[in-house]
Amino acid sequence: MRTLVILTLLAVLVMAATCYESHESMESHEYLNPFLNRRRANDFIQADTRLRAITQERIRERSKAPQEHQRELCEDYYPCEMYAFRHGYAAAYKHYFGRRRTK
């Protein structure tokens, strides 16, 4: 009987310790109203960050490395691409586009 009383008191103490609602959690605004209105729903997203990322991507597209530009030219021309599979893109670009043909 004594162990049953001790176990019951221990269970009550554990429950009181784990289920305690602190004062800090009551101060939260989400406790009273957990839903946000539509205007405040996306306040945490910075519109400038997204626009800046898109702008940086466009700048990177305009200023490509010369090797990347040459590779894209070679990929658009099928014989150059086949030559590149065997000898590499630098050699293929030099073979097909490196020489200037003037007539």
Side-chain angles (χ1 to χ4, degrees):
M1 182 72 176
R2 180 190 249 180
T3 57
L4 183 62
V5 172
I6 293 173
L7 287 176
T8 306
L9 286 174
L10 187 63
V12 169
L13 285 174
V14 169
M15 188 175 69
T18 57
C19 297
Y20 174 70
E21 190 80 26
S22 68
H23 181 65
E24 288 85 15
S25 65
M26 295 293 209
E27 290 176 352
S28 174
H29 300 289
E30 296 169 355
Y31 179 76
L32 299 174
N33 188 8
F35 302 105
L36 296 174
N37 64 14
R38 291 180 183 175
R39 291 182 185 165
R40 293 196 57 221
N42 291 322
D43 282 349
F44 60 93
I45 296 176
Q46 300 289 332
D48 298 336
T49 309
R50 290 182 295 181
L51 292 175
R52 191 177 315 127
I54 292 169
T55 305
Q56 290 295 326
E57 181 65 28
R58 297 296 172 243
I59 290 171
R60 273 188 235 112
E61 285 178 1
R62 274 189 260 137
S63 59
K64 292 181 181 176
Q67 293 85 4
E68 187 177 356
H69 185 66
Q70 291 173 359
R71 182 180 178 132
E72 287 180 356
L73 280 175
C74 193
E75 285 176 347
D76 290 340
Y77 186 55
Y78 185 73
C80 182
E81 187 177 16
M82 290 295 109
Y83 192 89
F85 286 145
R86 188 167 246 197
H87 303 285
Y89 280 100
Y93 181 82
K94 188 175 180 182
H95 180 75
Y96 284 100
F97 301 107
R99 292 177 273 157
R100 297 272 180 176
R101 295 181 183 164
T102 55
K103 289 188 178 182

